[in-house]
Every structure is written in C-alpha cells, then in structure tokens.
Amino acid sequence: MEQHAHYQCDVLVIGSGAAGLTLALQLAAQTRVIVLSKGPLTEGSTYYAQGGIAAVFDENDSIESHIEDTLIAGAGLCEPAAVEFTTRHAKQSLQWLIELGVGFDRVADEQGQPRFHLTQEGGHSHRRILHAADATGRAVQTTLVDEVKKHPNIQVVERVNAIDLITDKHIGGSSGRCYGAYIWNRVTEQVETIAAKFVALATGGASKVYQYTSNPDIASGDGIAMAWRAGCRVANMEFNQFHPTCLFHPNAQTFLLTEALRGEGAVLKRPDGSRFMPDFHEAAELAPRDVVARAIDYEMKRLGADCMYLDISHKPAAFIREHFPNIYEKCLSLGIDITQQPMPVVPAAHYTCGGVKTDLNARTDIHNLYAIGEVAYTGLHGANRMASNSLLECLVFARSAAQDISARVNQMELLTQLPAWDESKVSDSDEEVIIQHNWHELRLFMWDYVGIVRTNKRLERALRRIELLQQEIHEYYSHCKVSNNLLELRNLVTVAELIVRCAMARHESRGLHYNLDYPELLPNAQPTVLTPPQQPSR
C-alpha cells in the first residue's frame, strides 16, 4: 500500500549538530530543507564540545604542518587526499562561522590589535585551535540554531527518531537511490514518512554502545546502522576514541575535561601525586589521545585505583577561571576547586573514527544519500582522530556536500508516493524490562570486552553475545510497536557487531585499536571495510 508522504522536501537532513545545520544553511537559499532532531535542537555532541576547531591562522603555522600532524596522529591509516582536502578548506569554513557571529576568543597582539587566541592540543605542533573559552561547541551550535530558525526554507522537526531509509528495496525500484525515510514521532507516537530528493545522515557517532561515555544520550549509532541496513559499506569501526579525561564523579558521568587543559599546562598524576605520562611518551600530557587513555587505563589497573588525577592548580587562579570558566563552575558545584586541587579523571568512549564510507563530496554507496560528520568515514582520522579536527570535518564536508547537492537538485525528481509503514502485525509491548536488560548487558560487555585494551577471546565472547541479542531484538522488533529505546537498542546492537567484526579483522595494534594478541604493527596499513549482505525490509 502506498500513501502520500507526511512531509516533502528537496533535502532531508537527519541530525541537527554542526554537520547537519551547516548543510541546511548552505542549501537553504535555493532548496527546501527539513532537519530532523532526535531531541531538542540544541542537544547533541556539538553542543558539548569544549576544546575548539583546528585551522591555520598563525603566520608561523602552515597547512602542510596541519596535514603532517593529522597523518602522524592517524597512525599511518589516514587517507592523504581527505586530510589535504579538509585542512585546505579549514580556514574558509571557520571564516564562514566567524561571519555568522561565532565569538571565538581574541587577545591583543604586540600592537594592541585583536587577534584570535589560539591554543594547542595533543598531537598538534602549533597553536591552531580557535575556541570560545571552554565551550566552543555551545557557541557554534547556538549560532547555527539561531540562523536556522530565521530561514524560511528550513523546517525543523524535533523529537523524532529516524527508523530506516526508504530505498529501492521498499518500492521495488532499481535505480539504487534513496527516496526518504520512515520516522517515529515521539510526541504523537506515530510512524510518519518523509519524501526527499536527497537525504543526508548527520546523526553523530555511536559511543553510547559503551557503558561509560562522554557523549549525550542520543549518540546511539543510528545513522551508521540505518546506512548499513540500506546497503552502504562501513569502515574502521574498530577505532573508537576514548577521551582520556572525563570527570570521575557520581553526579558528572558524562562531563568532559577538555584536552585544552593539558594544552595549557595541566598534568596527570597518580593518587600519590606523582606524574606518570613522561613514562609513556616523550610528549607527556600532549601525547595523542590513544596513548594518554591507555596510560591512564594501565595505571588504574596496575594500582587498583578508581581514577587518576588531572592537576592545573599550579597555574594562577585568575588564568584558570578566565580560560576554563565552565569547567571551573561545574567542578566547584561538585565540591572541587580546580584552582586548589586536582580533578579525578577516567577515560570514557568519546568519538567514533569509523563510519559510513563516503567520498570527498560526502556521497555514500547509495545514490542521493550523503553522510557528514561523525557518522561518516571520510579517511580524515585514520586510526586516531587528532584533537579539534572533528568539528572541522563537520563544517568542511557539509559545505562540500551542499555544493554537490546544489548542482544536482533541480534535475532530480521527487517521489511523493511512498510505501506506508506496516503495523498490521505488531502490538504494544508489555515487556519493556527486556529492552532495559538487553540495553545494559550490551553496554557492559562492550566496555569489558571491546574497550581500550582487547584480546581475541574477549572479541569472540562479545560477538557470541551480540548474536544472541540480535535474535532477541529482531523478534521483539518484528512483533512490537516501535519506541525510542527499542529503536536505539536495535541500532546499537548493529553498531556493536560492526565494531567487533572490524576489530577481529585487524591483526595488529594500531592507534585506538590495541589487541594484546597482536601487539605489533603490520608493515602495510589498510582500512577495515565491511560490505553489508542483502537484507529484507520489514
């Protein structure tokens, strides 16, 4: 049975962070855009990003240096074309944000003229991080939201879950393209359809697959799972970045302590007050994140300690309050005065370096389907994302996708009659406890078996449990009406399988993937690319 789509547009953007909103704004002059937001428009990983955005603004810096630093941090697995493309488009992407009014911090130069205050983070050889105090993501997100709300060609639909992409397998076509999406409206609790000439996934990463994460609740790998089910390849899912320093406190489980703290002189200490990073890397606290995270994990396990400590109290109190006002206030609200005492820290799942395979225009394997931001694998990050390249990737590839879509949008037909969502064989669930149990089980064994340090046996155990969970979840999904928790669990278990299968395929330790059974580097680094099997639609 076909029905007229509930919504129609030229471009459907699934996700409302920096990537999605940038794409919408870049397209809105000539196209009708719908932006789907899983929660409120300001919720998402962009809003919580603290550190900043990397670009060459210092005359003593160079794009070549930014390229080299990124390649080194990526542990030999970056795709050079993606790195060069991103870094060469960095400054103009930042200039666009500046023109929109993002208030990056400035200081006076030697002549008393204002210039951008650039900070340095792990892996960078120069100060090239533009930031807005320690809340850069908030400044970017709120500015983009304000612009989106002004634009008559952009319609925002909040509190909806994308369920699946509508492709040829739903309509019996053979063009290999995407026609829209099924969405679940969390307000009306109804499934609706959106018809679009083009669809862009900007759904963020999948760190919620782990028990401890710095990400907001919405980071459940939805776009990666939907693209995989639709027939897109994914790559490098074994490289999940664990941020070394999340605040260890029962009331602050997802509060990130930006790498800029270490860039400005904070040091990591054991419970006895002794430093340990010089024992692990010549760059000490400014080593790449994978090195720092493993060092903290190693020291915690060696000492049986609940956490390590990050200390910036040797810096002047006024300096700390000026540069890190949000961190200062947050810690103070928890009884920690960072001008006087160290902060307890643990690593937490932070960033998905792999994702849906795309080209430099953000095109996926399916015609008219794009992927931008953390959901995508562009080749920029390799085996370890360098600090402050993530928001940059969102901006650069959103602008690139917008150019590609703009050149084609007027030649593309909109298919408005789409297959209706079939709920004829489903019923309301009276066993929500099953979802909750499976949810907690998945996140716990992913943390224990597929975390910072892995082994073959742990990966095999994780895969066996994933396969059992998939059977249970598929049975549940086939017979029950959809809900937020069910949709997220369905996506998370798919992403968990992709992470484990990629990890099992890599017989070496490189970057963020560390396997005790394969501790050495292979001589030739290659990305791990998975191709989906043909899957029936619901």
Side-chain angles (χ1 to χ4, degrees):
M1 182 180 71
E2 290 190 346
Q3 66 178 19
H4 210 63
H6 294 86
Y7 299 90
Q8 299 175 30
C9 59
D10 295 315
V11 183
L12 170 62
V13 180
I14 304 176
S16 58
L21 297 187
T22 297
L23 177 61
L25 288 168
Q26 292 283 317
L27 288 169
Q30 61 170 340
T31 58
R32 294 172 299 130
V33 182
I34 291 178
V35 175
L36 299 186
S37 182
K38 197 170 171 183
L41 197 53
T42 53
E43 182 71 5
S45 293
T46 295
Y47 184 83
Y48 296 100
Q50 295 177 352
I53 309 176
V56 174
F57 275 77
D58 188 334
E59 60 185 17
N60 296 316
D61 194 4
S62 67
I63 291 173
E64 287 69 28
S65 177
H66 192 178
I67 291 171
E68 182 181 7
D69 291 345
T70 301
L71 292 172
I72 291 170
L77 210 58
C78 299
E79 296 191 15
V83 176
E84 180 160 350
F85 180 82
T86 306
T87 53
R88 293 201 183 280
H89 288 86
K91 189 169 184 178
Q92 68 189 68
S93 298
L94 268 291
Q95 293 283 16
W96 177 73
L97 278 185
I98 293 162
E99 289 167 10
L100 285 184
V102 176
F104 293 111
D105 287 3
R106 300 175 188 253
V107 293
D109 63 15
E110 294 174 357
Q111 286 75 42
Q113 298 299 311
R115 63 171 177 81
F116 290 112
H117 179 268
L118 303 173
T119 191
Q120 186 172 356
E121 295 181 349
H124 291 273
S125 58
H126 292 81
R127 286 182 170 265
R128 64 169 70 99
I129 316 300
L130 274 75
H131 63 101
D134 57 352
T136 306
R138 185 191 305 171
V140 171
Q141 183 74 10
T142 54
T143 301
L144 293 175
V145 166
D146 288 345
E147 290 297 313
V148 161
K149 287 181 175 178
K150 295 176 190 175
H151 213 292
N153 279 352
I154 301 175
Q155 179 182 359
V156 176
V157 184
E158 294 180 286
R159 294 178 174 84
V160 293
N161 293 63
I163 302 173
D164 269 318
L165 301 166
I166 299 173
T167 60
D168 282 325
K169 70 180 182 182
H170 294 93
I171 68 167
S174 58
S175 64
R177 64 169 275 201
C178 185
Y179 302 93
Y182 293 114
I183 65 170
W184 184 66
N185 188 316
R186 287 155 69 173
V187 178
T188 64
E189 297 190 350
Q190 297 296 314
V191 176
E192 299 168 342
T193 56
I194 301 181
K197 295 179 180 179
F198 297 89
V199 177
L201 297 169
T203 53
S207 287
K208 198 175 176 181
V209 77
Y210 288 101
Q211 184 180 20
Y212 301 110
T213 173
S214 65
N215 286 192
D217 275 348
I218 61 171
S220 51
D222 302 334
I224 297 170
M226 284 192 294
W228 175 257
R229 289 193 293 267
C232 292
R233 289 172 296 166
V234 301
N236 279 15
M237 290 297 293
E238 70 270 39
F239 299 112
N240 195 289
Q241 188 174 70
F242 291 81
H243 196 286
T245 53
C246 262
L247 188 63
F248 180 69
H249 193 282
N251 297 328
Q253 292 180 348
T254 62
F255 190 72
L256 195 71
L257 296 171
T258 173
E259 192 153 342
L261 282 160
R262 284 174 281 138
E264 295 297 339
V267 294
L268 283 160
K269 295 181 177 179
R270 302 180 180 95
D272 66 2
S274 61
R275 286 181 68 188
F276 58 89
M277 277 313 301
D279 300 339
F280 290 88
H281 196 277
E282 61 185 9
E285 278 77 14
L286 292 180
R289 286 180 176 177
D290 60 318
V291 176
V292 180
R294 273 202 305 277
I296 294 172
D297 183 67
Y298 176 85
E299 288 294 317
M300 286 171 58
K301 289 175 177 173
R302 183 178 72 85
L303 297 171
D306 291 332
C307 63
M308 292 291 113
Y309 292 87
L310 183 65
D311 192 0
I312 198 171
S313 62
H314 51 280
K315 290 282 189 176
F319 173 89
I320 295 170
R321 287 192 291 266
E322 177 188 355
H323 285 273
F324 306 105
N326 293 288
I327 292 173
Y328 172 77
E329 291 294 338
K330 177 69 172 182
C331 289
L332 201 61
S333 73
L334 299 169
I336 304 167
D337 183 350
I338 67 172
T339 67
Q340 301 291 326
Q341 59 196 117
M343 297 158 271
V345 296
V346 291
H350 180 60
Y351 191 87
T352 307
C353 287
V356 183
K357 200 171 190 309
T358 70
D359 64 13
L360 296 182
N361 290 315
R363 293 188 186 188
T364 70
D365 292 331
I366 295 176
H367 295 314
N368 297 9
L369 177 66
Y370 294 72
I372 47 176
E374 193 176 350
V375 69
Y377 166 77
T378 63
L380 171 64
H381 305 307
N384 182 29
R385 175 181 71 87
M386 189 166 69
S388 292
N389 271 352
S390 52
L391 288 178
L392 175 62
E393 182 185 41
C394 292
L395 299 170
V396 169
F397 282 88
R399 289 162 61 88
S400 179
Q403 289 182 354
D404 195 63
I405 292 170
S406 295
R408 304 167 57 212
V409 69
N410 291 330
Q411 288 84 49
M412 194 59 57
E413 179 187 359
L414 178 67
L415 186 67
T416 59
Q417 294 291 326
L418 297 174
W421 181 256
D422 183 7
E423 283 192 318
S424 60
K425 299 177 182 177
V426 300
S427 60
D428 289 318
S429 167
D430 59 358
E431 292 287 348
E432 188 74 14
V433 66
I434 295 173
I435 296 178
Q436 293 299 325
H437 178 83
N438 288 353
W439 182 280
H440 293 303
E441 181 185 351
L442 174 67
R443 298 180 74 201
L444 180 60
F445 72 65
M446 284 297 290
W447 181 264
D448 288 340
Y449 297 156
V450 200
I452 295 172
V453 177
R454 301 154 182 182
T455 66
N456 290 347
K457 185 171 288 186
R458 292 177 196 173
L459 294 174
E460 290 164 3
R461 286 178 176 174
L463 186 59
R464 285 199 297 271
R465 281 156 175 77
I466 287 167
E467 289 170 344
L468 288 171
L469 281 179
Q470 284 176 325
Q471 294 173 16
E472 290 185 19
I473 294 164
H474 177 72
E475 178 75 12
Y476 197 99
Y477 181 78
S478 298
H479 293 94
C480 297
K481 290 184 177 180
V482 297
S483 66
N484 177 67
N485 286 347
L486 176 57
L487 292 171
E488 287 193 339
L489 179 61
R490 176 184 181 229
N491 291 333
L492 280 174
V493 77
T494 298
V495 170
E497 181 191 2
L498 297 175
I499 293 170
V500 172
R501 290 199 182 280
C502 281
M504 294 176 81
R506 184 163 295 282
H507 295 173
E508 63 169 349
S509 288
R510 183 181 296 274
L512 301 166
H513 173 74
Y514 193 80
N515 188 332
L516 292 174
D517 292 311
Y518 301 112
E520 303 300 323
L521 283 173
L522 290 175
N524 296 311
Q526 296 294 330
T528 309
V529 181
L530 301 182
T531 302
Q534 291 295 318
Q535 299 180 21
S537 60
R538 175 169 175 172

